[in-house]
Amino acid sequence: MRPLTFARHSLLIVLLLALTACSSTPPPPTQPPLAADADAFALAQRLGKGVNLGNMLEAPNEGDWGLRVEAEDFPLIRAAGFAHVRVPIRWSAHAAAEAPYTIDPDFFSRIDWVVDQALANDLAVVLNVHHYDEMYADPTVHDDRFVAIWTQIAERYKDRPAEVLFEFLNEPNGALGAARWNRIFAKTLAAVRATNPTRGIVVGPVEWNSFARLDELELPEDDTHLIVTFHYYLPFEFTHQGAEWAPGSDAWLGRTWSGEGLDASDVDAHFDQAAKWAADHHRPLYLGEFGAYSKADMDSRARWTAYVARAAESRGMAWAYWEFASGFGVYDPAAKAWREPLLKALFPPTP
């Protein structure tokens, strides 16, 4: 990507300071550094409120889906109040197909840069494996490659601070059922713990990280650095109306979300179920994705986003909105401006 010149960088800082000065919201305080052996609850608290850098590094190649990670993204995200970024990454497109499954050095350097930018802007970072479609389709063939990819990632980032977390696999689904996912997770965890004994690890259940499948996760009781994640896009016919990748979704166009009655009680019931699981198993929860696609009306999107974010916060969950600047985006890259209804839904104005 094109690096920032000194002049562009200076102008960006001036603009950010001006925006901060004009805002009624004070700048977010600097986060104290985490202890190297911080447990899962301390890690989840540090994550707090975040945003996904979606449709960027999980594309087949960065830029294929119209977005690249830019240096100016990070100070914008931090100044808005976010405490971390979740970075979806299609590592499988940048690793050799044959053993030892070497990850492309140039791609590794690109991820190094992303991590550096996040940390320099006081943002914790969650690195995941995203869109490993072959793994979902045929895990028996790809499990060794999956473990090898994570072994390399773990070795590369073993000396990074605790603010860098690993998420082994986004939304296990397809042929990757609960029993096999538990076995692969255990095998991968052992490989990563060899170099990162106290690294924060994020893990979610099958069926696209469904809260309804949390009970099927098998986690080692003695590992106190595991954060459990789930994703929430219900009702799907609302959040994904008109989504080009969802068959039949044009029939859902025009669906609204009131924030009352069954709309609200369904969310509450689902989040109560997840929170009860977390309390019973003494694990912190991380709502790693939630959002409503741009084809829905903005008022409904903002109501849904606010309700889900408060549902997570009131039950002690960290969260990461899906996503920064694409079809669900809280930021409009063409206008170079936040979509205020969504940003206010995530960060309600202080009275």
Side-chain angles (χ1 to χ4, degrees):
M1 66 171 281
R2 182 179 48 155
L4 282 175
T5 64
F6 178 78
R8 288 178 65 220
H9 185 268
S10 299
L11 178 60
L12 176 63
I13 296 299
V14 170
L15 289 173
L16 285 172
L17 289 173
L19 287 170
T20 301
C22 294
S23 172
S24 60
T25 303
T30 300
Q31 299 279 349
L34 285 167
D37 61 348
D39 70 12
F41 287 93
L43 290 164
Q45 184 176 20
R46 172 61 181 86
L47 289 179
K49 304 173 183 180
V51 67
N52 282 269
L53 299 182
N55 284 36
M56 298 178 182
L57 289 158
E58 85 275 23
N61 291 286
E62 186 182 8
D64 285 355
W65 293 347
L67 290 173
R68 292 178 57 85
V69 186
E70 304 289 355
E72 53 262 39
D73 297 340
F74 297 92
L76 281 171
I77 288 168
R78 186 68 188 105
F82 295 102
H84 80 277
V85 287
R86 179 173 180 260
V87 187
I89 305 169
R90 194 184 295 235
W91 295 94
S92 57
H94 303 278
E98 304 296 333
Y101 311 111
T102 303
I103 295 171
D104 175 21
D106 290 340
F107 188 72
F108 246 146
S109 294
R110 178 63 173 158
I111 304 305
D112 293 346
W113 178 87
V114 171
V115 172
D116 290 341
Q117 292 295 314
L119 296 177
N121 284 278
D122 195 31
L123 292 164
V125 56
V126 178
L127 302 176
N128 82 4
V129 163
H130 214 94
H131 287 318
Y132 194 166
D133 298 332
E134 304 93 332
M135 185 74 178
Y136 308 139
D138 198 349
T140 60
V141 171
H142 286 270
D143 59 348
D144 286 344
R145 185 171 185 250
F146 180 78
V147 174
I149 287 172
W150 269 112
T151 300
Q152 294 173 74
I153 297 169
E155 176 65 30
R156 182 86 170 200
Y157 299 116
K158 65 182 180 182
D159 296 323
R160 292 291 187 147
E163 285 79 4
V164 178
L165 290 83
F166 299 158
E167 182 179 350
F168 284 173
L169 185 64
N170 179 70
E171 297 183 345
N173 65 85
L176 193 54
R180 182 164 293 280
W181 173 226
N182 284 325
R183 290 195 295 272
I184 292 172
F185 173 74
K187 184 178 177 181
T188 310
L189 183 64
V192 169
R193 285 288 178 243
T195 54
N196 290 256
T198 61
R199 177 74 55 196
I201 304 293
V202 178
V203 57
V206 296
E207 199 178 320
W208 311 88
N209 286 160
S210 170
F211 71 91
R213 305 294 292 273
L214 285 167
D215 271 335
E216 296 171 80
L217 273 178
E218 295 177 2
L219 305 176
E221 292 186 8
D222 61 347
D223 194 321
T224 60
H225 305 281
L226 303 179
I227 297 173
V228 176
T229 189
F230 71 102
H231 294 175
Y232 195 78
Y233 290 105
L234 298 177
F236 196 75
E237 293 80 2
F238 166 69
T239 65
H240 281 66
Q241 59 186 279
E244 294 80 3
W245 63 93
S249 62
D250 283 352
W252 310 333
L253 288 168
R255 179 158 179 172
T256 60
W257 197 85
S258 69
E260 301 174 345
L262 289 177
D263 280 352
S265 61
D266 281 351
V267 174
D268 290 336
H270 298 159
F271 276 72
D272 283 344
Q273 181 178 337
K276 183 179 185 306
W277 180 91
D280 289 347
H281 293 81
H282 194 60
R283 301 285 186 182
L285 281 182
Y286 171 46
L287 178 61
E289 291 185 17
F290 68 106
Y293 192 49
S294 56
K295 296 291 181 68
D297 72 276
M298 181 56 85
D299 287 346
S300 290
R301 291 176 71 197
R303 277 193 296 272
W304 183 91
T305 299
Y307 200 94
V308 172
R310 303 296 88 75
E313 293 162 11
S314 66
R315 293 163 177 83
M317 303 174 191
W319 55 251
Y321 177 74
W322 186 271
E323 30 65 20
F324 175 53
S326 192
F328 293 74
V330 65
Y331 182 77
D332 183 342
K336 296 191 179 300
W338 295 101
R339 293 186 170 102
E340 287 296 331
L342 293 177
L343 189 63
K344 289 178 180 177
L346 295 170
F347 297 97
T350 303

